[in-house]
Amino acid sequence: MFAQSPITSFRRLAALAPLFLFAAAAFAQTSNIQGDVKGLDGKPVQGAQIKLDRTDIKQSFNVKTDKNGHFLYANLPTGMYTITVVVAGKEVAQVTGMRSRQGDNPPVVFDLAKQAEAAAAAAAGAGPAPGEAKQDVSMTKEQRAEYEKKLKEQEAAMAKDKALQDAFNAGMEAKNAKNYTVAVENFEKASTMAPTQHVVWAQLAESYISLGDSKNGAEQQASFEKGVAAYAKAVEIKVDDPNYHNNYALALAKDKKMDLAQAELTKAAQLDPPQAGKYYYNLGAVYVNTQQNDAAEGAFKKAIELDPNYADAYYQQALVLMNKVSLDKDGKMVAPPGTTEALQKYLALKPDGANAEGAKAILEQLGSTVQTSFERPGAAKGKQPANNQKKSK
C-alpha cells in the first residue's frame, strides 16, 4: 500500500539522538610543601631560594622565602623530594629522601644557627656513638616526641596515599581496557580509602554504567542502580560541577528515572550557561529514547534558542517533528511546520556532517528543495548562482 511506504522509508533513515557525555575530570594527587628558614642570627631569612628536586621522577621546582622566612609550594605532584636551601648563591642546608603526601605536609624547618651548632659539636667529637641513631641535639625531649609522632603520622598517610593511588591507577587501567568488572573492584577499594574524593566516585559510577551496558536483565539493572548511587555521591561532594550533574542525569535515564534525570540536566544548564544548549540537547535525547516526542521537541527547541548554531539540535528537532508526519490525499508526506527549515539549517551549518546525507534524503522525500552549497558565516552577500540549488524529483 503506497500510503505506508514513505513513512516506513523515513523511519529507516531516522536514528535515536546520541547522548552527549562529558568526560569526568582526571584524578590527580598533589601535595603542599612548606617550611621556614632561620639564619645564623636566629632571624627569618628573606629571599632564600628553595629548590625542590623530585628524585623518583626527574622534576624540579623553585620557590623563595617571604619576609617571615616562610616558603610554600602548593599543588606539587606527590613523590620523593630533596629540598635544598640556597642563600647568596650557596647551598647552606638540605633535606633528602622526603616523601610528600597528598595535601599538607609537616613543615620543614631549616635553622642555620642550630645546624652550625650541631656541626661544631660533631667536629669536637660530640657526635653520636657508633650504632646510635643520629639526633638533633637542639631538640628537647618533648620536641623529639612530637617530631616522631608527626613522622609516624606522615608515614602512615603516605602508605595510605600509595595504596589509594595504586587502586585508582589499576581501576583506570582496567576501565581503559574495558575490563569493567576489575575496574569496579579497584574503584570500590579506592572509595573506601578516600570516601570524600568525588573523582573516585565518578569513575566508579562510569564503570558500573559501562558494566551494565554489557549485561541484560537483573544484572544490568543492578549495575545501573549502583552507577546511579555512585554518581549521587560524586554530585553530593562536588555539587557545583555541571558535568557531574550531566553524567548523573544520563545514568538516571538509563535507570529509567526520567523525572530525576530532567532535574539534573536542568541543574547542569543553570550551573554552566555557556553549555546550556548541550544540556538541553541531552534532555531532548533522553526524551527521544523514552518515546516522549512532545517533550523532546521542546528540549531541542530550547537548545537551539540557547545556541543558534547547534547543528545537531536542528537535525534531531527535525526527526522529532517527522514523527508527526501525515499523508495527503495523494499519498505525499506532509511534515509539520519547521521540519524542512530545521533540516536546511543543519545542512547550512554542517554540509559535510555525519547526518548530511540523511537530511538530504528526508528533504527529497518531502519534495523540498535541497541546497548543495551554502555561504559560510561572515561571507560577503551576493546573488546565488542558478546551479546552487536543485529541485528533487
Side-chain angles (χ1 to χ4, degrees), residues 332-352:
K332 180 182 176 182
M333 285 197 298
V334 179
T339 306
T340 58
E341 291 83 356
L343 292 168
Q344 291 284 18
K345 184 66 175 178
Y346 171 82
L347 289 171
L349 291 168
K350 278 190 175 181
D352 300 319

Side-chain angles (χ1 to χ4, degrees), residues 167-214:
F168 187 87
N169 289 343
M172 288 300 297
E173 184 177 344
K175 179 172 172 280
N176 292 336
K178 299 185 179 181
N179 189 347
Y180 299 118
T181 300
V182 173
V184 162
E185 291 173 358
N186 281 283
F187 288 134
E188 284 281 13
K189 182 179 178 181
S191 71
T192 61
M193 291 186 283
T196 60
Q197 285 278 4
H198 56 86
V199 181
V200 172
W201 290 107
Q203 294 294 344
L204 176 61
E206 288 187 21
S207 298
Y208 266 127
I209 296 299
S210 296
L211 180 63
D213 287 336
S214 67

Side-chain angles (χ1 to χ4, degrees), residues 3 19 266:
L19 296 181
T266 301

